Amino acid sequence: MADHPPALRAEIAALKTELARVRDELAMARKTIQDLNLKLRREQTRPSTAR
């Protein structure tokens, strides 16, 4: 990367930072989906007493 112009190096660094942020958000979203799926499965296996 030493042969790249400074502006391009800065852009690459910014994109790497943004990619890390998006990966973190994706990991949190996956965890939320897994938690909600587990909760839904538990609710579906519980006998319904409201009927």
Side-chain angles (χ1 to χ4, degrees):
M1 214 165 84
D3 58 337
H4 292 27
L8 183 56
R9 276 187 262 154
E11 181 69 15
I12 291 169
L15 288 170
K16 285 182 178 180
T17 301
E18 178 70 5
L19 178 59
R21 186 188 65 77
V22 169
R23 282 181 174 157
D24 288 345
E25 285 187 12
L26 179 59
M28 287 188 296
R30 284 181 174 152
K31 177 81 171 99
T32 300
I33 289 169
Q34 289 171 349
D35 291 347
L36 289 171
N37 279 337
L38 184 61
K39 180 181 175 188
L40 183 60
R41 277 193 224 113
R42 286 181 181 155
E43 289 175 357
Q44 287 176 341
T45 58
R46 197 177 314 141
S48 179
T49 56
R51 291 181 191 177

